[in-house]
Amino acid sequence: MQTIISPLVSHRLCLAPAVPRYRLPNNYHRAPPSIRLSNHRSTTSPCLFSSAAASRDSEMATEDVQDPRIAKIASSIRVIPDFPKPGIMFQDITTLLLDTEAFKDTIALFVDRYKDKGISVVAGVEARGFIFGPPIALAIGAKFVPMRKPKKLPGKVISEEYSLEYGTDTMEMHVGAVEPGERAIIIDDLIATGGTLAAAIRLLERVGVKIVECACVIELPELKGKEKLGETPLFVLVSSAA
Amino acid sequence: MFAVENGLQGDPRLKAISDAIRVIPHFPKTGIMFQDITTLLLDPVAFKHVVDIFVDRYKHMNISLVAGVEARGFIFGSPIALAIGAKFIPLRKPGKLPGKVISEEYELEYGRDRLEMSVEAVKSDERALVIDDLVATGGTLSASISLLERAGAEVVECACVVGLPKFKGQCKLKGKPLYVLFLFWANAVSTSSTLNSLIGKQVVRVSPFQAEGLRPVMVSRTMGGFTINIIDTHGLVEAGYVNHQDLDLIKGSESGITVVYAENSGRCSKNDKDEKALPNGVAWIPNLVKAITD
């Protein structure tokens, strides 16, 4: 049985009809018993469920987190229809960056999760990964490694090709930025098809780095990006169904 | 403003930061000494120092908005914004930002480019900072200032980690103050690079923060039965002042025949092969070696 949660952002700048933006995944009712959703929780809060090891769904921010933080973060993300092209509902995090509390909370949620886990590398995917990655890296004392489009990084690089909807693109990383055996997380603002994150995983694994987790602010679960990540777990704060 | 002049002189953090910045010669093209801050990001302590220095400077200036220039400006701008409690606004290449944007064109060395900003992000009378990793021509920063002013914000200052020496001192860009932690010299041939070229391998670090490098230094190479000693010092004549300390050092260490004093000038003319040349058109590094060995 699905619970439809009323939209939080559609009344803002979006012109789309008032369909709910956030709903629980279809298999919610089949989730292991450790997942709870209290009945008394406000229906305006986006879905929160603690991850179960058995579940193949992406891990969401746990119920130990105060509701207001996640709700505020989710409500600060703006949905722009038909950008960059018709039919796409663009999840715009720039409005989150304008909400100083929400931005701070976003970083705090990631930092709380990854500090004290022996993570020495935070890899951020160009360009919005460069906004979230560095503050996390600084807070947990890890290196920040930018994963860039071709020809941006000077010096010696290794590159990995990945598929786009039409054609391919290439991602590059500096040779020597990371060492074998280091533990890394990969940060981007959003996971859609998972192609970019999968390329980042391959680049780091090629040089012997262990990717502990991929972390994004938003997931578009219908695009099944998680499946491209193989063994690497995915953690997101907000799951947004189009 | 040069860090030393800003009361940061002797701040031990500056050496750690400058040591972490890597110089890549001839990137993206011949003649450019690229200041690569990505190595700084690999040093969590040095990276934190940079952010701390900026945060200390701006936290009491009532800044409500930090604008970061895509993409390396995001890396520094975001942590600064978070630490001082300001909004963060990305200034982006065309077509990346959704919603209503304004754009500003600026000059590149060849051609023009455009920078965009979300116009809804800025309210009037906001106090803003513009952050980028590096300032060279100032074109991108000028475009950024324009965008913010057009939206009604007041640009309090622009800040960069590295900048060309022309931004030294009480520098202003479009009437706005510019704060730069380190100056770098964009010449393809600095004295340290020359020394490395003459010796045949990298023996002296090419440092962007020339004033605090490990100099003076003497290196030796034996060629054709002769031993050449090369002494690399700070600039012997810098900003009109003669560096007597280093001159005395050179005189004191003379153990052979002093052949030549070389002083690199950034205003060297170039020959057809784009090498720095003497007035008669001969490239001067080969000429220097010839003068020593003949």
Side-chain angles (χ1 to χ4, degrees), chain B residues 2 4 14-16 18-19 182-183 185 191-192 203-217 232-235 238 243 245-246:
Chain B
F2 191 39
V4 169
L14 291 179
K15 171 108 184 21
S18 86
D19 284 350
F182 297 104
L183 303 181
W185 283 260
T191 48
S192 305
V203 285
V204 177
R205 254 199 84 248
V206 178
S207 162
F209 197 34
Q210 301 292 353
E212 286 197 8
L214 293 165
R215 293 192 290 174
V217 117
D232 183 29
T233 66
H234 305 104
E238 195 130 40
N243 186 341
Q245 193 177 22
D246 283 2

Side-chain angles (χ1 to χ4, degrees), chain A residues 74-113:
Chain A
S75 69
S76 70
I77 297 167
R78 173 170 77 155
V79 182
I80 309 255
D82 300 323
F83 183 88
K85 47 191 228 268
I88 309 262
M89 300 295 281
F90 188 82
Q91 303 288 322
D92 181 20
I93 50 90
T94 63
T95 40
L96 186 164
L97 308 174
L98 298 177
D99 182 334
T100 51
E101 284 304 306
F103 187 18
K104 199 149 80 91
D105 289 343
T106 304
I107 301 300
L109 283 163
F110 289 124
V111 169
D112 287 345
R113 185 175 178 79

Side-chain angles (χ1 to χ4, degrees), chain A residues 15 45 48 54 56 138 148 163 165 183-184 194 200 224:
Chain A
L15 300 172
S45 68
L48 281 185
R56 277 192 51 80
L138 283 164
R148 300 211 65 174
S163 302
E165 197 182 355
R183 287 161 57 79
K224 301 195 205 299

Side-chain angles (χ1 to χ4, degrees), chain B residues 102-105 117 119 145-153:
Chain B
I102 51 174
S103 65
E104 184 80 20
E105 240 188 18
M117 182 181 81
V119 71
I145 294 169
S146 294
L147 283 171
L148 286 160
E149 288 184 334
R150 278 165 58 189

Side-chain angles (χ1 to χ4, degrees), chain A residues 10 12 15 41 48 53 80 92 107-108 144-145 153-154 163 180 185 188 195 242:
Chain A
S10 66
R12 291 183 62 192
L15 300 172
R41 180 163 304 135
L48 281 185
I80 309 255
D92 181 20
I107 301 300
F144 178 71
V145 177
L153 290 169
S163 302
I185 54 171
D188 206 353

Side-chain angles (χ1 to χ4, degrees), chain A residues 21-23 47 79 91 218-222 238-242:
Chain A
R21 298 268 167 256
Y22 302 96
R23 58 184 162 83
C47 49
V79 182
Q91 303 288 322
I218 310 159
E219 176 192 21
L220 304 180
E222 276 147 15
V238 170
S239 187
S240 176

